Amino acid sequence: MSNFFKQFFSKELYKILSINGVNISVRLLAGFLTSKAMAIFVGIAGMGVLGLVKNFITLLDTFLLLGTKNGIISKLATSKNDEYNKNYVLSLFWLFFGFSVLIALMVLLFYKSINNYFFANQITSIWVFFLLVFSIPFQALSLYFNSILNGLRTYKVVSLIGIFTNVLNLFFSIFLMWKFNVEGAIISLFLSSFLFFIVSAYFFSKPYPFKLFFKSFEFVFNDVKPLLNHSAMTLISTLISVALAYYIRIQIVTRFSMDFAGYYEAILRISSIYMIFIGTLISFYFLPEIAKCETQQQINKIIKQYITTIIPLFCIGMIVLFFTSNSLITLFYSADFLVISPYIKYQIILDIIKAIYVIFGIQFFAFGNVKGFLITEMISFCIQFLLLYFTLPIFGFESVWYSQIISSFVYLLIIICYFKTNPLKIVNNEL
């Protein structure tokens, strides 16, 4: 079996799959056990509340790095100048640390409005909100450490960070949910920032000892500035996607109930577990590889590799999920959650389309193509919003997936046509 996979995948991709195998397995197990604990201690409605909190954390994660994560990975993946890399890394460190402190102060200042508009006043303990504020700089630095290590292509290290963080977070999450129910689950979301920081800081200090950050250095403003291309793309995309996700959840709560919001969150949690496979490969291998390409032919070769190797395996997994969905739902949650079974097939179709279009979409990030990204992304989001708005009163709960499936399929067709008619102007970024 090992020889089969060695022949099926390229040497580098096989190496990454092997290294990340344990990481992905741990994340799958942690996701399963956490979901089971939520079903027992949090309940269906509690999951709906957690979905609102997770939306806000997703928004924060993007803003804390100014939407530059993919840009950092691409830049370091193409740079071979160690001295330049050091100044680049130090410049980004102080930029993100200062910005995260500013964001934390803003959240503290407007905590009542944030609790009302983002959390539907579900955070009732003020000290829990202070925990959120205090965790923000730690989350920013953790994301920064991880982006740098990803850009340096230290796959084994990034995998180890994921393994240790997930194991620690699993135990704390289950304990907090057991003691404090929904509030404990919310606390665990914030606490994970501290755990992520501790583990990632340890591994980050190997190539970049922290004493370096208190020595004089040259702030490479001219090289940090181009990251704004990636920033504009990611921030706009995240703002719209989070706004849509929040709109969907609020519509579900308003038109149906918080229980239905819990059903939706339960399906998304299952989806997020198996989509780890796609997300990890894109961040670790395909984005850095495409960023290094110098011709369109090289890009097409990598896309073909993804479509012919990763997508077939992913589709096989989705077929297995479809035929075993009832058993898996009961295993992951409880018999009370079997009501989500009819909707699993819609999520499977949606995720297959997403898994296909992501390989085309990362070209925007790899080469900083802001114009193309905004055009295609805005068309997709407009279609999804309009479809949801008009179909929700007609088809009910199912329209949440109908709108996403159709808009995602249209987006796939649009970006394929876009890259055929607008070949990328590839610039060699080596230093």
Side-chain angles (χ1 to χ4, degrees), residues 2 23 54 60 66 99 112 143 163 167 169 194 197 222 247 258 266 281 305 313 333 342-344 347 414 416:
S2 176
N23 182 25
K54 282 174 62 181
L60 264 185
L66 294 168
F99 184 69
K112 287 185 178 179
L143 294 167
I163 291 169
V167 170
N169 195 46
F194 300 103
F197 172 80
N222 289 334
Y247 175 76
M258 186 62 78
L281 290 177
Q305 179 189 22
L313 285 178
Y333 301 114
Y343 311 111
I344 289 290
Q347 190 65 43
I414 289 172
I416 291 174

Side-chain angles (χ1 to χ4, degrees), residues 301-431:
K301 183 178 179 181
I302 293 173
I303 291 175
K304 182 180 178 181
Q305 179 189 22
Y306 176 85
I307 296 296
T308 58
T309 59
I310 304 303
I311 293 301
L313 285 178
F314 185 72
C315 288
I316 291 172
M318 293 300 94
I319 292 171
V320 173
L321 173 61
F322 175 76
F323 286 107
T324 61
S325 58
N326 284 353
S327 299
L328 287 174
I329 290 168
T330 306
L331 181 65
F332 264 76
Y333 301 114
S334 66
D336 294 336
F337 284 80
L338 283 174
V339 68
I340 70 174
S341 181
Y343 311 111
I344 289 290
K345 59 179 177 291
Y346 301 131
Q347 190 65 43
I348 289 173
I349 295 170
L350 176 61
D351 288 333
I352 289 174
I353 298 172
K354 285 182 176 180
I356 295 172
Y357 75 55
V358 70
I359 191 63
F360 297 98
I362 61 170
Q363 294 176 82
F364 293 124
F365 292 95
F367 303 105
N369 187 344
V370 180
K371 180 181 177 181
F373 175 82
L374 291 179
I375 292 172
T376 56
E377 198 81 354
M378 289 302 294
I379 292 173
S380 173
F381 283 129
C382 287
I383 292 173
Q384 183 180 335
F385 176 79
L386 290 173
L387 283 172
L388 181 64
Y389 181 81
F390 288 110
T391 61
L392 199 58
I394 301 172
F395 298 105
F397 195 43
E398 287 91 342
S399 63
V400 171
W401 285 276
Y402 294 162
S403 59
Q404 293 183 74
I405 290 170
I406 295 172
S407 62
S408 294
F409 183 72
V410 172
Y411 178 70
L412 172 61
L413 296 179
I414 289 172
I415 56 176
I416 291 174
C417 293
Y418 178 86
F419 285 120
K420 280 190 174 183
T421 56
N422 299 275
L424 289 171
K425 296 178 180 179
I426 301 171
V427 179
N428 190 345
N429 292 321
E430 282 192 12
L431 295 166

Side-chain angles (χ1 to χ4, degrees), residues 28 33 63 88 142 258 264 325 343 403:
L28 289 172
L33 293 176
F63 268 96
Y88 190 68
S142 303
M258 186 62 78
Y264 183 61
S325 58
Y343 311 111
S403 59

Side-chain angles (χ1 to χ4, degrees), residues 138-170:
F138 292 96
Q139 181 69 359
L141 293 180
S142 303
L143 294 167
Y144 158 76
F145 294 154
N146 213 251
S147 297
I148 296 296
L149 293 171
N150 244 328
L152 296 176
R153 309 189 74 193
T154 54
Y155 305 129
K156 186 175 181 180
V157 170
V158 176
S159 294
L160 287 173
I161 291 173
I163 291 169
F164 289 133
T165 301
N166 277 286
V167 170
L168 291 172
N169 195 46
L170 172 64

Side-chain angles (χ1 to χ4, degrees), residues 3-22:
N3 290 332
F4 167 77
F5 281 111
K6 285 182 180 179
Q7 294 173 3
F8 194 57
F9 299 112
S10 68
K11 182 178 179 181
E12 184 71 10
L13 182 53
Y14 174 76
K15 177 183 175 183
I16 293 172
L17 284 169
S18 301
I19 291 172
N20 280 286
V22 177

